[in-house]
């Protein structure tokens, strides 16, 4: 009965609003050598965008270390990565809380050990949480969101950049920003993503002379467990493209952005929003 109601809802939306209900055909990068021999550290890699980036990196030849707050979840995600890519010993798990800055050095050291001494030359700052609307945010919630989404990125990027500098690594740092970072901020989440945009430019300007390239990708509403349960219905009437993005689409671009193909793209943010944020802000409701 539940499936019938979902199908009926999609049909009625199409009739009334003209919004497409067919899941789009998305091309996923096949196995390649764009990142052959490279090692990536990806925060928040157990599901959604982070997981798909990890999978795309493995398929492009990289080894990946992924993090999550639960060791059990990260281990399960690594097993899935090996199963879905058909490649073994390419994904490694670390339980890491983005708010606990004092533990970052140990996590980086552990990652290098897991990679058997391989040098980390890609960092993807993906871990993040939603929430904190201006009408009901508590101080505790605000601090949790800003500490996870911005403070953690500030200090972990600093640590990895120092490591790259000390080891003469000409690497890449990719921040997962958001279309919310260019919209009027009505939540702690939006504030954190405004910060990520500025931080991306600041680190890019500081690290480019060292051969460390810093960029960002800003997804719009994306079909991840955080936002969408029914991934068969990707329609979104407030986005010019008419639908949610897929995590695989973000992952495709992530491979390109940290590869030598995009070496001269520095301090930029690629907006993969379907038009949300950059040409319209109608997908966000403003009230108080």
């Amino acid at each position: 009965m539940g499936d019938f109601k979902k199908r009926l809802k999609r049909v009625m939306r199409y009739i009334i609003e003209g919004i497409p209900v067919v899941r789009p055909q998305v091309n996923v990068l096949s196995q390649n050598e764009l990142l052959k021999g490279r090692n990536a550290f990806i925060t928040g890699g157990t599901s959604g965008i982070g997981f798909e980036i990890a999978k795309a990196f493995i398929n492009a030849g990289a080894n990946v270390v992924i993090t999550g707050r639960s060791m059990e979840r990260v281990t399960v995600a690594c097993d899935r990565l090996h199963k879905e890519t058909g490649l073994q010993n390419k994904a490694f798990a670390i339980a890491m809380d983005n708010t606990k800055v004092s533990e970052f050095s140990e996590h980086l050291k552990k990652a290098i050990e897991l990679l058997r001494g391989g040098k980390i030359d890609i960092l993807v700052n993906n871990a993040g949480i939603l929430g904190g609307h201006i009408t009901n945010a508590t101080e505790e919630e605000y601090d949790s969101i800003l500490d996870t989404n911005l403070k953690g990125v500030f200090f972990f990027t600093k640590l990895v950049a120092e490591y790259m500098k000390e080891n003469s690594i000409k690497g890449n740092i990719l921040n997962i920003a958001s279309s919310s970072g260019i919209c009027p901020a009505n939540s702690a989440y939006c504030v954190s993503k405004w910060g990520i945009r500025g931080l991306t430019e600041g680190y890019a300007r500081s690290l480019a002379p060292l051969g460390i390239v810093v960029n960002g990708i800003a997804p719009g509403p994306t079909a991840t467990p955080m936002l969408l349960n029914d991934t068969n219905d990707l329609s979104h009437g407030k986005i010019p493209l008419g639908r949610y993005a897929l995590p695989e689409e973000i992952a495709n671009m992530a491979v390109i952005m940290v590869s030598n193909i995009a070496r001269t793209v520095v301090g930029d943010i690629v907006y993969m929003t379907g038009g949300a944020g950059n040409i319209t802000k109608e997908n966000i409701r403003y009230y108080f």
Side-chain angles (χ1 to χ4, degrees):
M1 187 67 178
D3 288 340
F4 173 76
K5 287 184 177 179
K6 288 179 181 178
R7 287 196 295 269
L8 181 61
K9 180 181 177 181
R10 291 198 293 269
V11 170
M12 292 303 296
R13 183 181 293 180
Y14 178 70
I15 293 171
I16 297 170
E17 302 180 21
I19 299 172
V21 296
V22 179
R23 184 180 175 89
Q25 180 64 44
V26 175
N27 292 326
V28 176
L29 288 174
S30 58
Q31 288 190 355
N32 57 78
E33 296 188 350
L34 284 173
L35 305 181
K36 182 179 180 180
R38 300 186 65 184
N39 299 299
F41 192 110
I42 303 170
T43 66
T46 59
S47 65
I49 291 172
F51 180 85
E52 291 300 330
I53 289 176
K55 184 163 70 172
F57 280 13
I58 291 173
N59 281 327
N63 301 306
V64 302
V65 175
I66 64 171
T67 76
R69 294 193 181 190
S70 162
M71 189 62 186
E72 181 181 359
R73 285 194 65 193
V74 188
T75 301
V76 169
C78 284
D79 290 342
R80 277 186 60 204
L81 286 169
H82 290 140
K83 181 178 179 180
E84 293 183 20
T85 62
L87 300 169
Q88 298 300 309
N89 301 316
K90 301 287 286 182
F92 305 92
I94 288 181
M96 172 173 154
D97 185 336
N98 243 41
T99 68
K100 296 182 178 179
V101 175
S102 63
E103 299 177 359
F104 285 176
S105 293
E106 285 302 312
H107 293 315
L108 182 60
K109 180 180 177 181
K110 177 64 174 177
I112 295 168
E113 291 174 356
L114 290 172
L115 292 166
R116 299 175 291 277
K119 292 182 178 180
I120 295 170
D121 56 6
I122 300 171
L123 168 63
V124 179
N125 288 305
N126 170 73
I129 54 177
L130 291 169
H133 194 275
I134 53 176
T135 59
N136 53 26
T138 63
E139 183 178 358
E140 181 181 14
E141 183 183 21
Y142 179 93
D143 287 344
S144 176
I145 293 168
L146 268 292
D147 285 355
T148 300
N149 296 7
L150 186 56
K151 180 181 175 180
V153 173
F154 181 98
F155 284 104
F156 195 64
T157 300
K158 177 178 182 294
L159 179 68
V160 173
E162 290 169 345
Y163 159 81
M164 289 183 178
K165 179 181 178 180
E166 291 169 3
N167 290 275
S168 300
I169 297 170
K170 298 187 184 304
N172 294 82
I173 296 172
L174 184 67
N175 296 325
I176 303 304
S178 170
S179 60
S180 298
I182 50 175
C183 293
N186 67 345
S187 68
Y189 174 80
C190 290
V191 170
S192 72
K193 293 304 181 178
W194 272 80
I196 289 296
R197 182 159 62 98
L199 202 58
T200 298
E201 295 182 7
Y203 268 123
R205 181 65 183 86
S206 302
L207 299 177
L210 302 175
I212 302 170
V213 174
V214 183
N215 286 297
I217 294 177
T222 304
T224 67
M226 189 182 289
L227 288 182
L228 197 64
N229 293 322
D230 180 14
T231 56
N232 289 314
D233 181 8
L234 299 181
S235 57
H236 194 310
K238 300 296 184 180
I239 297 176
L241 186 64
R243 67 169 176 86
Y244 286 82
L246 288 170
E248 296 92 329
E249 295 176 287
I250 312 303
N252 284 346
M253 183 59 71
V255 172
I256 301 300
M257 292 296 288
V258 302
S259 74
N260 286 333
I261 290 176
R263 198 69 189 167
T264 59
V265 181
V266 177
D268 207 348
I269 293 182
V270 177
Y271 291 92
M272 303 185 67
T273 68
N278 57 341
I279 61 175
T280 180
K281 296 174 175 58
E282 295 176 0
N283 63 297
I284 296 180
R285 292 178 59 238
Y286 290 92
Y287 59 91
F288 192 82

